[in-house]
Amino acid sequence: MNAFINETQRSANLLPVNLPHVLTRNVVLNGYEIPKGTGVLAQLSTVMFDEKVFPEPHKFNPKRFIEDNGQLKKVDELIPFSIGK
């Protein structure tokens, strides 16, 4: 049941663009320096539908959240409610 809920939250993508955030320090991302105070928007769908993390991301598959031993697998990239501060 938890795997089904996780996959539903991943694929539903209810909040594709998160609320605006402001950088609290200078950040280098892919070689680009982004200065402190810059406003940023996290687009959660780029994570939830990343084929490297979730193979066949447009296919509903709760098994992606189940370990081989049948236990629920924690996937850090499952962030249906935002990415934090």
Side-chain angles (χ1 to χ4, degrees):
M1 182 55 104
N2 286 332
F4 179 85
I5 291 168
N6 284 354
E7 182 67 352
T8 300
Q9 290 176 329
R10 184 198 68 79
S11 61
N13 200 22
L14 296 175
L15 187 64
V17 177
N18 197 2
L19 296 173
H21 289 66
V22 176
L23 295 179
T24 58
R25 60 183 171 86
N26 293 338
V27 174
V28 176
L29 181 65
N30 293 330
Y32 295 97
E33 186 172 329
I34 307 170
K36 176 182 176 178
T38 301
V40 293
L41 288 171
Q43 187 176 10
L44 301 181
S45 62
T46 61
V47 176
M48 304 295 242
F49 290 94
D50 184 343
E51 292 181 354
K52 294 175 188 164
V53 178
F54 302 107
E56 298 184 70
H58 297 288
K59 181 178 177 184
F60 189 84
N61 181 12
K63 290 181 182 180
R64 68 177 88 237
F65 293 101
I66 300 175
E67 298 280 1
D68 291 337
N69 64 6
Q71 296 295 312
L72 184 67
K73 181 191 308 184
K74 175 156 175 32
V75 178
D76 291 333
E77 292 82 1
L78 178 65
I79 52 171
F81 302 111
S82 180
I83 58 172
K85 295 180 180 181

